[in-house]
Amino acid sequence: GAGVSQTPSNKVTEKGKYVELRCDPISGHTALYWYRQSLGQGPEFLIYFQGTGAADDSGLPNDRFFAVRPEGSVSTLKIQRTERGDSAVYLCASSLDRNEQFFGPGTRLTVL
Amino acid sequence: RKEVEQDPGPFNVPEGATVAFNCTYSNSASQSFFWYRQDCRKEPKLLMSVYSSGNEDGRFTAQLNRASQYISLLIRDSKLSDSATYLCVVISYNTDKLIFGTGTRLQVFP
């Protein structure tokens, strides 16, 4: 079956611009997670959704970052006023009832 | 201090060698433990869960020492295809977020 998909696979933007990153979880998975991975580091937790609501957003670095999951399936991570330090691979994962998390291929964001 | 610490490597080993990776975690409330594998420019994938009693899956053996807050992964008879980054992961009590180490890079050569 289809795994987690993320679009776009690559995004290049200029400092100060707004970007949206999309995640399509595995069908039926109730939990959805966003992580960010910088070069040479492990992924870092950003936010977790259970259904439509954000159950834990403690990893969002500041108020420029926001995520939604309005219908409990697709999620969008939104970054306002991008900075060079936001450059990273943004990974999405989904799971069924707190079991194994399956990761998507990620979106590589480059802020120039 | 990072919550999960690993030696970043790289570990360069010949085919057929046995190699071991270690990981320490600082939060005593951590309750679930995993090893993930990540290939270059790919997403992480679950390799195996780590149980207090230790567990083995083919050439891979994982062990947990709660008293020392220490996790290990042993790979026997290394294959070229084992070359990857191995990420140590913990989950704290009553949360679902994965806390990753920086990963240990393994390179197996012919």
Side-chain angles (χ1 to χ4, degrees):
Chain A
V4 178
S5 62
Q6 292 186 245
T7 54
S9 55
N10 281 283
K11 176 71 177 177
V12 179
T13 191
E14 293 179 342
K15 181 173 177 293
K17 299 288 189 184
Y18 168 82
V19 296
E20 289 190 353
L21 312 179
R22 176 187 167 110
C23 172
D24 273 273
I26 293 171
S27 179
H29 278 194
T30 53
L32 185 147
Y33 309 79
W34 284 99
Y35 295 84
R36 176 169 75 171
Q37 186 171 23
S38 300
L39 193 63
Q41 302 296 317
E44 291 181 304
F45 170 79
L46 295 176
I47 185 170
Y48 152 52
F49 289 90
Q50 185 63 250
T52 60
D56 183 348
D57 65 356
S58 61
L60 295 178
N62 52 59
D63 61 7
R64 294 186 298 105
F65 289 74
F66 189 71
V68 295
R69 195 185 185 201
E71 297 176 359
S73 178
V74 170
S75 177
T76 304
L77 179 65
K78 308 179 180 195
I79 311 174
Q80 298 177 318
R81 304 184 305 281
T82 51
E83 299 177 357
R84 292 195 180 89
D86 299 336
S87 296
V89 176
Y90 288 81
L91 293 161
C92 176
S94 71
S95 72
L96 183 64
D97 295 335
R98 308 178 82 181
N99 290 321
E100 178 184 348
Q101 294 183 26
F102 294 87
F103 283 82
T107 293
R108 184 172 300 274
L109 175 66
T110 303
V111 182
L112 301 176
Chain B
R1 184 188 171 191
K2 291 195 173 189
E3 193 165 341
V4 179
E5 298 216 47
Q6 296 181 251
D7 180 345
F11 285 57
N12 296 305
V13 303
E15 270 187 294
T18 295
V19 61
F21 306 136
N22 301 321
C23 165
T24 57
Y25 61 95
S26 60
N27 187 349
S28 59
S30 299
Q31 69 168 39
S32 299
F33 309 89
F34 309 91
W35 284 101
Y36 273 70
R37 172 191 168 130
Q38 187 171 29
D39 292 290
C40 189
R41 300 180 80 89
K42 299 286 189 183
E43 70 272 23
K45 292 185 179 176
L46 179 64
L47 178 66
M48 58 198 304
S49 301
V50 188
Y51 305 118
S52 296
S53 54
N55 49 305
E56 187 173 311
D57 182 3
R59 298 182 293 109
F60 298 82
T61 301
Q63 297 208 309
L64 167 65
N65 183 323
R66 285 188 184 270
S68 302
Q69 296 183 194
Y70 167 98
I71 304 159
S72 66
L73 176 68
L74 183 78
I75 306 176
R76 289 181 298 278
D77 189 23
S78 299
K79 311 290 184 194
L80 295 176
S81 58
D82 293 335
S83 299
T85 296
Y86 291 83
L87 296 156
C88 177
V89 184
V90 308
I91 298 182
S92 292
Y93 176 75
N94 210 29
T95 77
D96 292 296
K97 57 188 180 188
L98 303 179
I99 308 296
F100 287 83
T102 56
T104 298
R105 194 153 67 88
L106 172 66
Q107 184 67 49
V108 181
F109 58 88

